[in-house]
Amino acid sequence: MSVVIEAKNLTKRYGYRDTVFMALDGVDVKIKKGESVAIVGKSGSGKSTLMHILALMDKQTDGELLINETNVGGYKSKQLDQLRNKEFGFVFQHFFLNPRETVLENVALPLKIAGISRREAHKRARAALKAVDLEDKARNKGTALSGGQKQRACIARAVVTDPQVVFADEPTGNLDSTTGKQVEELLFNLNKNQGITLVIVTHDSELAAKCDRQIVIKDGKILEG
């Protein structure tokens, strides 16, 4: 399998001089196309920092980051934004749906950002909603959905651009156990049936165990994975 994301000797520092905090300290990671990976560790371990850098939401202090074997270290902010919107989808613990817009409009947002026409964006958004069994909620406002429905809408938004990688940060953290398992099943089905690479940040050992492998991080260093 080809390598989709590779990090070489990543470091992330916060603060200055005597107040320096090493959130990441010489991290090496490879994520291959089509696999499911869990990034696990206790609060403050550096797992969310690592995800944010791998997903181009933050920049490392030192080290290299390669996306599809291309070093993106010299990319400008606009280039990074375009690459992130094209290649990555995101599912967070908090749903981040615009309450003033319909579910369809929320799901179509990444396509609008990419410059896709409204008609085409809505067509693809409806297909994404159908894939998560929410087609009948397209005209509803985000506030009219249950927690599980909101997360399914977020998954539809994450995959509407046909991304290579979906990053899921504690995707079941705000859900009850039954709804959480439904969301987990949906994510793993996307991984298995559509070949989407799945990267899950979690402290849930049961969820992590369902992934192909685990990257265990402690005090900004990789212990396993």
Side-chain angles (χ1 to χ4, degrees), residues 85-225:
N85 193 56
K86 177 185 177 184
E87 301 292 352
F88 302 153
F90 299 92
V91 180
F92 297 101
Q93 178 177 351
H94 302 288
F95 309 120
F96 299 119
L97 294 176
N98 187 331
R100 295 184 298 275
E101 293 188 336
T102 66
V103 172
L104 182 69
E105 289 165 335
N106 271 282
V107 172
L109 181 61
L111 297 173
K112 293 179 181 178
I113 292 172
I116 304 298
S117 71
R118 178 183 173 86
R119 182 176 181 178
E120 178 64 17
H122 281 193
K123 177 183 176 182
R124 290 168 64 175
R126 287 190 186 92
L129 284 169
K130 185 176 181 179
V132 299
D133 198 25
L134 274 184
E135 194 175 19
D136 61 330
K137 303 294 184 183
R139 295 182 180 275
N140 288 46
K141 299 290 187 182
T143 51
L145 302 182
S146 68
Q149 289 171 335
K150 287 178 181 177
Q151 197 61 299
R152 282 155 55 198
C154 291
I155 293 170
R157 182 176 59 193
V159 302
V160 74
T161 58
D162 193 23
Q164 280 201 79
V165 184
V166 167
F167 290 91
D169 191 358
E170 301 287 3
T172 60
N174 278 339
L175 304 174
D176 62 76
S177 58
T178 300
T179 306
K181 290 192 183 303
Q182 293 171 351
V183 167
E184 288 175 16
E185 184 178 352
L186 183 55
L187 287 170
F188 284 109
N189 282 343
L190 289 168
N191 168 247
K192 291 180 175 64
N193 299 333
Q194 296 188 26
I196 291 175
T197 305
L198 182 61
V199 180
I200 300 177
V201 174
T202 185
H203 64 271
D204 183 338
S205 58
E206 289 186 16
L207 174 56
K210 295 177 181 178
C211 294
D212 295 328
R213 65 186 176 97
Q214 300 179 34
I215 296 172
V216 181
I217 187 167
K218 181 180 180 181
D219 299 329
K221 294 179 180 289
I222 301 294
L223 300 184
E224 178 187 335

